Amino acid sequence: KQEVTQIPAALSVPEGENLVLNCSFTDSAIYNLQWFRQDPGKGLTSLLLIQSSQREQTSGRLNASLDKSSGRSTLYIAASQPGDSATYLCAVRPGANFGNEKLTFGTGTRLTIIP
Amino acid sequence: DTGVSQNPRHKITKRGQNVTFRCDPISEHNRLYWYRQTLGQGPEFLTYFQNEAQLEKSRLLSDRFSAERPKGSFSTLEIQRTEQGDSAMYLCASSLARGGAVRRQGNTEAFFGQGTRLTVV
């Protein structure tokens, strides 16, 4: 059974700092990994998706890396801003064959950027 | 707005009542998913549809829960005889899956709606 862990559970950093969020998963046979952002009481906003064959994806100040063999992904946020404050969730989708489509989520890292 | 739409956004109901939620996916997406999220946890998979066919159900989906996607477009999730433990955020997501009978193609990126917050009192 796939298990996804995100450490730390909460993180506070001063505005302007670069930071890294971590995600680990127990079964390396994944199809892709997706990072989401969730504001309090809201739904999920997709940030980045990395296919199993890729090593990283970038969007603006965000960079996500994937090391499938070691079961790890990181989300790097550059030059953090107060608007980045939210919970960040990673989720993995299992292998390439149809039949098991569910995303398995971590419990998230609650990020607070201090102005 | 062409994103995933969920209604209602909030629902407060008395224990024992039935509730129904609606999800309208992104129009060209053939896959639709339901997840449940409790406070401080990540979303947990409930069920998913490929077009109108319900292809997988989690053991979390008890007999009191039923989901439909009658025309392969919008979906409904009904909870009968609600219990306080059903209080959660119910999230809907959609994606576009391409490919043949066995292997998946494309990035299958999932897009989520804003969720329906259910409170059972």
Side-chain angles (χ1 to χ4, degrees):
Chain A
K1 176 189 173 187
Q2 178 73 271
E3 292 183 1
V4 180
T5 303
Q6 291 186 249
I7 295 173
L11 180 65
S12 294
V13 300
E15 180 179 359
E17 284 198 2
N18 304 327
L19 60 99
V20 174
L21 305 180
N22 297 296
C23 172
S24 61
F25 45 95
T26 55
D27 185 348
S28 62
I30 65 168
Y31 186 69
N32 59 37
L33 182 147
Q34 202 167 349
W35 281 94
F36 296 90
R37 168 189 172 132
Q38 186 173 33
D39 293 293
K42 305 291 187 182
L44 277 64
T45 300
S46 179
L47 297 174
L48 289 165
L49 180 143
I50 311 178
Q51 300 295 342
S52 60
S53 58
Q54 297 175 322
R55 296 301 296 267
E56 65 179 293
Q57 282 285 341
T58 298
S59 176
R61 295 182 295 108
L62 305 180
N63 176 277
S65 68
L66 174 64
D67 184 342
K68 198 174 82 163
S69 61
S70 67
R72 294 182 182 183
S73 176
T74 61
L75 180 66
Y76 175 84
I77 303 177
S80 58
Q81 302 171 358
D84 295 331
S85 297
T87 295
Y88 291 80
L89 295 152
C90 72
V92 298
R93 187 183 300 280
N97 293 331
F98 286 117
N100 188 352
E101 293 295 326
K102 66 180 182 181
L103 288 171
T104 301
F105 283 84
T107 52
T109 294
R110 189 174 67 254
L111 177 64
T112 302
I113 306 300
I114 305 165
Chain B
D1 188 340
T2 57
V4 178
S5 176
Q6 291 189 246
N7 288 288
R9 294 291 309 278
H10 304 274
K11 178 71 176 178
I12 300 175
T13 190
K14 291 184 178 179
R15 188 177 53 186
Q17 298 294 305
N18 299 341
V19 293
T20 300
F21 311 141
R22 176 177 169 127
C23 172
D24 288 88
I26 294 171
S27 59
E28 66 268 24
H29 284 184
N30 52 3
R31 291 241 168 111
L32 186 148
Y33 312 79
W34 285 99
Y35 288 80
R36 181 173 70 184
Q37 185 179 28
T38 53
L39 200 61
Q41 300 298 312
E44 295 177 292
F45 171 81
L46 293 178
T47 188
Y48 95 94
F49 293 83
Q50 167 112 355
N51 300 313
E52 67 276 8
Q54 189 174 17
L55 297 186
E56 188 174 355
K57 294 195 295 185
S58 163
R59 56 184 171 80
L60 294 175
L61 214 64
S62 76
D63 291 345
R64 297 184 296 106
F65 288 70
S66 62
E68 296 183 344
R69 195 183 183 197
K71 297 182 180 179
S73 57
F74 73 92
S75 175
T76 58
L77 177 67
E78 181 183 17
I79 308 174
Q80 297 181 329
R81 305 180 303 280
T82 51
E83 302 172 356
Q84 286 186 321
D86 297 332
S87 296
M89 174 79 88
Y90 290 83
L91 295 161
C92 176
S94 70
S95 68
L96 177 62
R98 301 184 184 91
V102 176
R103 290 191 69 81
R104 187 193 294 115
Q105 295 178 10
N107 66 21
T108 68
E109 184 173 4
F111 296 90
F112 281 76
Q114 290 297 300
T116 294
R117 166 78 62 191
L118 172 67
T119 303
V120 181
V121 297

